[in-house]
Every structure is written in C-alpha cells, then in structure tokens.
C-alpha cells in the first residue's frame, strides 16, 4: 500500500515508517500537526508531540518526499476513550490534514503511526482512518518496549531527548543526549521506578536527527537552549528548544534547498512542503452510514409470518436471541435482503426489551455462502455501527453453514445481550505485529462479568493479514498465538483460564490431517500453559469441541473461538452457592442413572459462578439408548428420544453444580445434515421435549430457549466429528 506517515519527529513515528517499509508498504508522504504559534514549543495536547516541531520542516528534504503540515486549531474537547466526532477537537485537525493528503495524493490508502501502548491515541487515528476509508498501520502496537528500544537503536535511529519528565531524569543532564547513550539509564529507572523505557508514560520525548529513511541528508543541531517547565526536586520537567540547525547532505545527493537558518520560521518550501488550512470548527464532517437502515422499515411487513423465526431466552440480566428465515418456495432474493430482514427483526426485538445494539456482547453470524462475506459485512455495518455502540461494537464469529440443506435462508444470526452497560471491549482496527486487526466491523474480544467472549480467530499473520502457509496445523498454531495475544490484554491479577474452546474445521482439511490438528491444538496449549502463569488453558477443565463446516472467512482451514474466565476477585470464588431446585424428569422418559453416562459429558465449573457443559452423542451411545428403550429401531427415527436423554443429562449437570435452567445463557444443539431433517422439524421436536419438562415442573420456570445449528459434523476432537448430536451449554449466576 502507499502510505502517508504521521510524524511528530520522535523515534516512534520514524521507526513505524521503517517497519511499514519492511512489510512491503511504500511511504509516499509525511503529515505533521504543529502549534499555531511557531514560538510555542509544547501544547497541552493528549494527542500530539510538538516539542522540536521547528525541525520537522526539514524531514521532507531529508527523505525526498512531500510533507503536509497543519497548525493545530482545536483542543482536547472529547476526553472519553472512544472518540466521537466533536467540532473544535484537535482530532478534527488530523482529519482535515489527512483528508487533504488523500485529495492531493489519491493513491494513498494507508496511514502509519507510532502508537505503542496508548489506546487513546490509537483509537483516534483509527477513527479518522475509518472516516476517510484509509487503513491504519501501527506496527509498534503492543510490542515489548525494551526489545523495541534496542531494535530502534540497532537499526540506526539517531534520536536525542527533547523533553524529560520523570523521576531520575535531569533536564540539565539528560536533554540533548542520544537515545543510545541513555539505554542503560532508562532500564535502570525501569527497575527502580517502573518507568516505560520507550517513554510511553510521558517520561521523555525524542527528536530524530538521522535514520536509514533519511536518504538525502541528516540534521545537525547547531544550537539549543534548555527551558525548565518545572524544577520539582523529584521529577523536574524540561524541554529542549532548538535555536539553529543545518542539513548535512549524504553522498551523491543534491541539495533540494538548504535549512541552515537561525530563526527557524520562514523556510523556503522547496516544493515539498504543503501547509493545510481549514477551520476544524466548521469542516467537521458528519459520519455517513453505509446504508440508512431506517429506510428498510417496510422490509419486515413483506415477509410471511411463517418464514421469519426468532427465539429468545428469558434470563433477566443476560439473554440470548437467534433469528433465521425458513426457505420459501420462491427463489430467495439473496443474502443482502435475507440478512437485512434478520438484522431488522433482531433490532426490533432489542428495542422491545429496552435494549439496542450497544447492549450486544457477541454475535454468531452464519452464512450459506462464505463467498458473500464482503457483502455480509457491508449489510451488517449498516445496522451495527460505532455510533450505535458507544461502548464498543460486539465481538463476532462468522462461519459458513449448510443452511439451505435444512431449508433455511441465506443468513442465520445468534446474539448474546446484556441489560447493563458494564462490558469492556477490545477493538483494534490497525494492522500491527501484535494480533490480526478485525476483518469485519466487530471487536476482537468483549469482557462482561468475568467472561471473555473472543471473536473467531484465523491463522492470520498479524503484520501482513494473510493466512500463514503450511496447511491447517500451521494455521491453527498461528490462530492460537493470536488468541493468546488478545487474551493478554485482559489478564487478571487473580487468574485467566479457558472455559470452552471451539475449533471450526473446513471441509478442505484432509481426513489424515485431522489427527495432526488435534495433536497441535493440545500441544500448543500445553506449551502456553507451561510458559505463562495465566494462559488459554489454565486452572479449569477446558471443554473442547470441534465443528465441521463447509467454509470459513478468507478460505481459512481452521478458526478457533475460545470463551475465557477472567477472575476479578479471589474471595468470591469461595462462596457456597445456594442449592437450586432439581427438575423432575417425566417418568415416561424412562431414564435411570448409569455409570457410562459420564462418558458423554465434558464439564467446566466455577463454584457459584459458571456451569459449562458439552454432551457428545456418538452413534454408539445413541444406539445404546434406542436399543435399551425401543428395541432395534433406527436411530435417525428417534431424535426426540436422544434429545430427551441430552436434556436429562444436562439437568443432572446443572443440579450437581447448584445451577438451574433459569441461569442458562445459551444452549446450542449441533446436528449433522446427514440426519436429513429440517431445522423446522428439529425445532418442533425439541420444543415438544421442553414442553413435557415444563408440564412436569409447574412450580419451576424452565427456559425453553435453545439454538439448533446445522453442521456437517461435530464432536470432541477433529478426528471424531461424527456425533449424532452435540450439545453446548453455558450457564452463569446473575
């Protein structure tokens, strides 16, 4: 991609350019925001470094590419973490600047910045990029600061300190010093006081005088003076004010204009410098939606009542909802119309419950054809926008399912909703070396009441956003590393561990490779557990499920979707849960406890908090049930009997763990299309079973919510995805 680089003059923005080039991008322009008054060294800005701005003008000449500059008119008006367009805010200056760059250089498609740890700055850059249709590149994001500092020094960045503001840094001693000479001092201060060695806590700022990108010339600072902002005895604050400088041209380069002035104000612009005007109070654009969802209000009225289906759980604080279209006899209008209908129906149900998209924690988006993934995203974002989700857009997983084989439409959606607004969302849209940016309008992970719901992760190389080569096992290993990187952002001081681990396997995986995937999955998780005190597979008995599906986004072979428990308070785990009433199983069902029942079940219990379980009904177990109760009749004819047995076992799991059906968050039944039943027929069977259970327990509320998911196969491992029925249950105390 052709890139415009946001430069402050500091080491980070210069190294970010070097990393962008390393990953195949081309820096074609520079962009800088500077104070309105040249005599001012530093602004009270949350966004921009301005110390040393007098020298940035020479960067264009040093690199031989144009520099676009704008004088900052705005101030910090919107101080919340997630930025919303605010007239007069300093972020709007960046928007005006980059908008003009894009106008003059239409080939520019990306912006690189030196963000390392500041969500505040990263989110604002991403917001501006989103509005302008640009890609954000942030290759320093979440990198280890000690390693990053050494990498900068070793790769030829010559930078000096132009501000110090930390315990142990003396303006008179440390200002103007080269970064390489301060390496040992910074690491000593890290050990003593915990400072950020890259200055991410505002401990110091730098000015780059030379680096490998400066092909034409390097900057020589001839004279400067130290200006004390604070003479505090513990952490004095001082800045370096440049007085004069000149350029020293490198071998076989011609001068494009000489900057050897002493007043540093009226440079000759040499054809490479552009100053961008405009009023950030008047030129603040309004966000444009991809589509006006309200224009589709009529769409539900055109759908026959028997075609549009929705199911909701009754849990008060957190509830699940799923919505789908029965396949009509007429030709389907296509994915876009089907998805609009489903999303509109979910939206209306949310409003009826006093909620909105802002309350949604997680979305499972099931498509009939993954080749329409881009179209699905385009439609999806017309409903679910950052403006409607001020606390962050929901996390999401997207897979292809054989929907039309069970007589469904082109789209099927499942949402998890919370009535409160306590969720914490991680939504990184920048391409970085940390973890993949989201390939759709969703967040990497959402934390709510100690449960971390992670978006489906593919085996993408974060830096290039391409699938890693080498087959399914390599993709799986990279996907697990991506999961670990995301989970580290939510690490609890108490513990973090995985509850449920779902692996989606594409049909393109050869049968002989499934065993290698199984071994790789457990091998990598074991390594993570040994190397980290907290990891994806730590402390709890993780439930593993493997789902066989037709296709995955980007043509991936595997996708993984963990649910983690992030323990916030050590004391609450020890609480003794109140005993929940046990449901009476109808005597007509005829089940009695047998030792072999446990072989069907995987459980993960957090005392008084979480009850997760998975049931695997293999052909052998199903035949055992049917032969015991109905002689030698064919298993496929008795899905109702198998479903009763599953609910019987789930009832035992819930009661033994002091949970009840009212604690249910979601209940999924994965059924293979080889059973040759429609989703409608399956829903009738399960509804009848739950009705019988409710009739036998008139004094106890039985939540009848369940979600039937058609798959090619499912089971505990990639080598055993041939269950007659696989059940996934998740319950949580309010």
């Amino acid at each position: 991609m052709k890139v415009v680089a946001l430069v402050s003059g500091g080491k980070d923005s210069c190294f970010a350019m070097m990393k962008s080039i390393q990953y195949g991008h081309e820096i074609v322009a520079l962009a800088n925001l500077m104070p309105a008054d040249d005599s001012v060294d530093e602004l009270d800005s949350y966004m921009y470094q301005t110390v040393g701005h007098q020298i940035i003008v020479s960067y264009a000449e040093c690199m031989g590419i144009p520099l676009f500059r704008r004088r900052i008119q705005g101030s910090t008006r919107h101080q919340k973490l997630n930025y919303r367009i605010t007239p007069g805010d300093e972020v709007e200056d960046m928007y005006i600047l980059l908008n003009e760059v894009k106008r003059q250089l239409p080939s520019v498609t990306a912006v690189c910045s030196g963000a390392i740890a500041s969500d505040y700055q990263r989110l604002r850059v991403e917001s501006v990029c989103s509005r302008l249709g640009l890609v954000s590149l942030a290759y320093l994001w979440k990198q280890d600061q000690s390693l990053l500092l050494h990498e900068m020094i070793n790769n030829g960045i010559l930078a000096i300190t132009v501000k110090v503001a930390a315990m142990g840094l003396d303006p008179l001693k440390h200002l103007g010093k080269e970064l390489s000479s301060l390496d040992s001092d910074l690491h000593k201060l890290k050990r003593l006081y915990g400072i950020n060695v890259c200055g991410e806590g505002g401990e110091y700022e730098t000015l780059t005088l030379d680096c490998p990108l400066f092909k034409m010339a390097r900057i020589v600072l001839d004279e400067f003076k130290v200006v004390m902002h604070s003479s505090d005895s513990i952490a004095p604050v001082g800045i370096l004010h440049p007085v004069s400088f000149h350029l020293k041209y490198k071998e076989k380069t011609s001068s494009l204009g000489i900057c050897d002035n002493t007043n540093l104000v009226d440079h000759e612009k040499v054809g490479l410098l552009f100053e961008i005007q405009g009023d950030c109070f008047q030129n603040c654009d309004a966000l444009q939606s991809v589509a006006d969802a309200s224009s589709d209000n009529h769409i539900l009225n055109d759908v026959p009542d028997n075609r549009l289906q929705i199911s909701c759980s009754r849990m008060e604080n957190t509830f699940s909802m799923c919505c789908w279209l029965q396949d009509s006899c007429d030709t389907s209008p296509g994915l876009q119309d089907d998805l609009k209908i489903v999303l509109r129906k979910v939206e209306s149900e949310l409003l009826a419950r006093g909620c909105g998209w802002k309350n949604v924690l997680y979305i499972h988006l099931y498509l009939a054809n993954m080749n329409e993934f881009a179209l699905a995203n385009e439609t999806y974002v017309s409903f679910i926008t950052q403006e409607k989700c001020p606390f962050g857009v929901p996390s999401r997983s997207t897979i292809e399912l054989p929907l039309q084989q069970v007589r469904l439409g082109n789209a099927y959606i499942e949402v998890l909703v919370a009535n409160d607004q306590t969720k914490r969302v991680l939504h990184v849209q920048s391409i970085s070396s940390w973890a993949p940016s989201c390939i759709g309008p969703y967040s990497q992970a959402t934390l709510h009441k100690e449960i971390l719901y992670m978006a489906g992760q593919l085996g993408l190389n974060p830096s290039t956003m391409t699938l890693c080569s080498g087959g399914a096992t390599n993709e799986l290993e990279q996907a697990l590393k991506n999961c670990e990187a995301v989970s580290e952002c939510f690490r609890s001081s108490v513990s973090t561990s995985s509850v449920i681990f779902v692996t989606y396997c594409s049909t393109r995986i050869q049968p002989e490779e499934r065993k290698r995937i199984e071994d790789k999955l457990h091998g990598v998780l074991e390594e993570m557990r040994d190397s980290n005190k907290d990891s994806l597979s730590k402390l709890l008995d993780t439930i593993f499920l493997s789902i066989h599906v037709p296709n995955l986004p980007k043509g991936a072979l595997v996708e993984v979707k963990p649910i983690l428990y992030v323990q916030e308070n050590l004391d609450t785990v020890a609480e003794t849960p109140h005993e929940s009433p046990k449901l009476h199983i109808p005597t007509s069902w005829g089940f009695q406890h047998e030792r072999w029942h446990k072989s069907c079940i995987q459980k993960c219990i957090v005392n008084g908090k979480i009850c997760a379980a998975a049931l695997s009904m293999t052909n052998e177990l199903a035949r055992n049930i049917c032969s015991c109760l109905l002689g030698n009749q064919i298993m496929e004819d008795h899905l109702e009997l198998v479903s009763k047995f599953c609910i019987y076992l789930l009832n035992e799991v819930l009661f033994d763990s002091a949970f009840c059906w009212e604690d249910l968050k979601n209940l999924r039944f994965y059924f293979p299309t080889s059973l040759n039943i429609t989703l409608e027929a399956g829903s009738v069977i399960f509804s009848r079973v739950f009705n019988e259970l409710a009739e036998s327990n008139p004094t106890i509320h039985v939540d009848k919510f369940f979600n039937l998911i058609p798959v090619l196969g499912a089971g505990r491992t990639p080598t055993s995805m041939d269950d007659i029925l696989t059940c996934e249950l998740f319950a949580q105390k309010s």
Side-chain angles (χ1 to χ4, degrees):
M1 290 185 286
K2 294 187 183 299
V3 179
V4 54
L6 287 170
V7 293
S8 64
K11 64 185 186 333
D12 300 340
S13 56
C14 288
F15 195 56
M17 286 192 284
M18 293 172 63
K19 297 297 284 187
S20 296
I21 292 171
Q22 177 186 329
Y23 289 113
H25 306 295
E26 180 185 359
I27 309 297
V28 297
L30 307 173
N32 169 251
L33 290 135
M34 59 182 177
D37 186 345
D38 283 312
S39 65
V40 173
D41 287 295
E42 184 177 37
L43 294 177
D44 183 17
S45 170
Y46 289 8
M47 275 294 296
Y48 311 120
Q49 173 187 322
T50 57
V51 179
H53 67 86
Q54 299 90 344
I55 291 180
I56 305 302
V57 66
S58 59
Y59 276 30
E61 195 164 348
C62 289
M63 293 181 64
I65 59 176
L67 168 65
F68 294 81
R69 303 190 84 185
R70 174 175 170 80
R71 297 186 183 276
I72 301 168
Q73 298 181 19
S75 58
T76 306
R77 296 194 170 197
H78 191 286
Q79 298 183 12
K80 293 182 179 179
L81 183 60
N82 290 299
Y83 180 72
R84 303 189 72 177
I85 295 176
T86 305
D89 191 277
E90 60 186 352
V91 174
E92 298 309 315
D93 288 297
M94 185 199 305
Y95 172 82
I96 293 170
L97 175 62
L98 293 178
N99 188 42
E100 182 61 19
V101 173
K102 185 179 178 182
R103 188 189 71 81
Q104 293 197 35
L105 301 175
S107 63
V108 167
T109 56
V111 176
C112 81
S113 64
I116 296 177
S118 172
D119 283 303
Y120 183 93
Q121 293 174 340
R122 174 187 58 79
L123 287 167
R124 278 152 175 75
V125 173
E126 290 177 350
S127 173
V128 170
C129 286
S130 177
R131 292 159 62 185
L132 292 172
L134 298 170
V135 176
S136 172
L137 304 178
Y139 285 115
L140 311 190
W141 180 249
K142 291 291 184 184
Q143 298 304 291
D144 180 275
Q145 291 190 38
S146 292
L147 296 177
L148 201 54
L149 181 63
H150 291 153
E151 198 174 353
M152 291 178 187
I153 294 170
N154 294 336
N155 279 274
I157 287 189
L158 175 62
I160 61 170
T161 52
V162 291
K163 178 182 178 181
V164 294
M167 187 182 300
L169 291 178
D170 183 349
L172 298 177
K173 177 182 177 182
H174 294 112
L175 280 175
K177 298 295 183 183
E178 290 186 13
L179 192 61
S180 57
S181 68
L182 294 177
D183 184 15
S184 59
D185 288 344
L186 292 172
H187 281 87
K188 179 181 178 181
L189 294 177
K190 177 187 177 182
R191 293 190 297 271
L192 291 174
Y193 309 120
I195 75 163
N196 295 277
V197 295
C198 280
E200 281 298 286
E203 294 90 345
Y204 69 94
E205 292 177 0
T206 61
L207 180 66
T208 301
L209 301 179
D210 194 15
C211 72
L213 299 178
F214 290 7
K215 301 293 187 182
M216 304 296 183
R218 63 183 178 88
I219 302 165
V220 178
L221 185 59
D222 298 316
E223 184 181 354
F224 66 85
K225 62 181 179 180
V226 173
V227 179
M228 296 298 296
H229 277 202
S230 168
S231 299
D232 184 90
S233 59
I234 298 176
V237 179
I239 64 172
L240 181 151
H241 174 79
V243 176
S244 64
F245 72 95
H246 71 275
L247 298 186
K248 184 171 182 179
Y249 293 94
K250 298 184 178 180
E251 292 183 10
K252 297 182 181 179
T253 61
S254 59
S255 172
L256 299 176
I258 299 175
C259 294
D260 59 351
N261 26 275
T262 57
N263 60 20
L264 301 175
V265 177
D266 296 320
H267 298 304
E268 182 181 356
K269 292 184 172 53
V270 302
L272 289 175
L273 180 63
F274 303 88
E275 186 164 324
I276 308 305
Q277 307 295 328
D279 190 344
C280 70
F281 288 80
Q282 296 179 356
N283 291 322
C284 177
D285 70 335
L287 275 180
Q288 297 180 355
S289 300
V290 174
D292 182 4
S294 63
S295 64
D296 295 321
N297 281 331
H298 68 280
I299 202 166
L300 293 179
N301 299 327
D302 299 333
V303 182
D305 291 340
N306 63 343
R307 187 169 182 236
L308 181 59
Q309 304 291 324
I310 192 160
S311 176
C312 302
S313 67
R314 297 181 183 179
M315 192 172 182
E316 293 183 2
N317 297 321
T318 307
F319 59 92
S320 293
M321 184 185 305
C322 55
C323 186
W324 65 96
L325 286 166
Q326 301 286 0
D327 194 14
S328 64
C329 298
D330 302 327
T331 303
S332 172
L335 170 68
Q336 191 167 40
D337 284 347
D338 281 6
L339 187 53
K340 281 184 179 180
I341 292 168
V342 170
L343 288 169
R344 173 60 67 200
K345 181 62 175 177
V346 171
E347 187 172 70
S348 65
E349 290 291 330
L350 289 171
L351 291 172
R353 291 170 173 246
C355 298
W357 293 113
K358 66 181 180 181
N359 298 97
V360 176
L361 304 175
Y362 201 92
I363 292 178
H364 288 83
L365 178 61
Y366 305 125
L367 303 176
N369 185 351
M370 191 56 69
N371 292 331
E372 297 183 298
F373 180 77
L375 180 61
N377 275 340
E378 179 184 328
T379 308
Y380 180 95
V381 78
S382 69
F383 287 84
I384 305 169
T385 65
Q386 294 188 41
E387 291 66 53
K388 293 180 182 178
C389 305
F391 312 107
V393 291
S395 301
R396 193 186 85 184
S397 66
T398 306
I399 59 173
E400 181 179 317
L401 290 181
L403 299 180
Q404 294 173 349
Q405 292 183 41
V406 294
R407 298 178 64 180
L408 293 185
N410 295 286
Y412 181 9
I413 193 168
E414 178 185 349
V415 299
L416 180 64
V417 189
N419 281 327
D420 59 46
Q421 298 175 358
T422 60
K423 69 177 182 180
R424 176 184 161 200
V425 169
L426 178 67
H427 186 204
V428 179
Q429 301 172 75
S430 301
I431 295 177
S432 69
S433 299
W434 159 72
S437 61
C438 295
I439 60 174
Y442 55 88
S443 298
Q444 276 95 346
T446 299
L447 179 65
H448 180 258
K449 295 190 181 301
E450 298 187 304
I451 305 299
L452 183 64
Y453 304 93
M454 194 179 297
Q457 293 290 325
L458 306 177
L460 293 171
N461 182 315
S463 301
T464 62
M465 290 299 294
T466 56
L467 287 168
C468 61
S469 59
T473 53
N474 286 2
E475 283 189 30
L476 176 65
E477 183 171 6
Q478 183 63 56
L480 293 174
K481 290 178 180 178
N482 296 338
C483 288
E484 186 77 355
V486 172
S487 69
E488 284 178 357
C489 298
F490 296 88
R491 287 295 187 225
S492 166
S493 58
V494 181
S495 70
T496 303
S497 46
S498 54
V499 177
I500 301 175
F501 213 98
V502 178
T503 305
Y504 298 109
C505 299
S506 164
T507 53
R508 291 169 49 231
I509 299 175
Q510 298 302 314
E512 61 270 15
E513 196 171 9
R514 294 180 188 176
K515 175 60 176 171
R516 294 196 293 271
I517 294 174
E518 183 178 337
D519 293 340
K520 176 67 72 173
L521 173 64
H522 293 282
V524 172
L525 291 178
E526 190 67 32
E527 289 177 9
M528 290 180 178
R529 181 166 51 195
D530 292 340
S531 61
N532 297 292
K533 64 177 181 180
D534 290 327
S535 73
L536 294 174
S537 58
K538 182 75 172 176
L539 300 178
L540 301 179
D541 294 324
T542 304
I543 293 170
F544 291 96
L545 286 176
S546 295
I547 312 297
H548 198 197
V549 298
N551 204 354
L552 294 167
K554 286 185 171 286
L557 297 173
V558 292
E559 177 178 330
V560 293
K561 186 196 68 174
I563 295 178
L564 308 182
Y565 170 57
V566 180
Q567 186 176 337
E568 296 176 348
N569 191 327
L570 184 61
D571 297 332
T572 58
V573 178
E575 292 179 359
T576 301
H578 298 292
E579 184 173 301
S580 299
K582 185 176 183 179
L583 292 182
H584 172 67
I585 298 297
T587 54
S588 60
W589 289 11
F591 300 122
Q592 294 182 352
H593 176 72
E594 300 284 350
R595 289 185 178 181
W596 62 266
H597 289 176
K598 289 185 178 180
S599 65
C600 306
I601 304 170
Q602 298 180 74
K603 292 191 298 184
C604 182
I605 309 298
V606 178
N607 190 32
K609 290 190 173 185
I610 299 168
C611 175
L615 301 184
S616 299
M617 295 303 302
T618 64
N619 279 278
E620 181 180 356
L621 293 175
R623 289 193 188 97
N624 188 19
I625 298 166
C626 291
S627 63
C628 287
L629 298 180
L630 296 173
N632 293 320
Q633 298 186 38
I634 301 172
M635 168 58 208
E636 285 78 356
D637 293 337
H638 297 94
L639 179 62
E640 183 170 338
L641 183 59
V642 174
S643 66
K644 287 179 179 179
F645 181 69
C646 287
I647 292 170
Y648 161 74
L649 288 184
L650 292 176
N651 187 57
E652 295 292 313
V653 170
L654 288 169
F655 178 74
D656 290 345
S657 308
F659 280 76
C660 63
W661 288 93
E662 291 181 343
D663 298 321
L664 207 64
K665 271 195 172 182
N666 57 61
L667 178 60
R668 298 187 186 94
F669 291 97
Y670 301 96
F671 70 98
T673 53
S674 58
L675 292 182
N676 294 318
I677 64 167
T678 65
L679 187 137
E680 183 178 14
S683 295
V684 169
I685 291 172
F686 276 90
S687 295
R688 187 161 57 239
V689 171
F690 271 103
N691 286 335
E692 287 185 26
L693 190 63
E695 289 171 2
S696 297
N697 297 272
T699 62
I700 303 174
H701 170 68
V702 179
D703 196 334
K704 303 174 186 178
F705 173 82
F706 57 88
N707 190 13
L708 290 182
I709 302 178
V711 295
L712 299 179
R716 293 191 180 193
T717 69
T719 56
S720 61
M721 296 184 292
D722 54 2
D723 289 355
I724 289 293
L725 196 67
T726 302
C727 172
E728 177 189 350
L729 175 148
F730 192 90
Q732 185 178 17
K733 293 290 185 182
S734 301

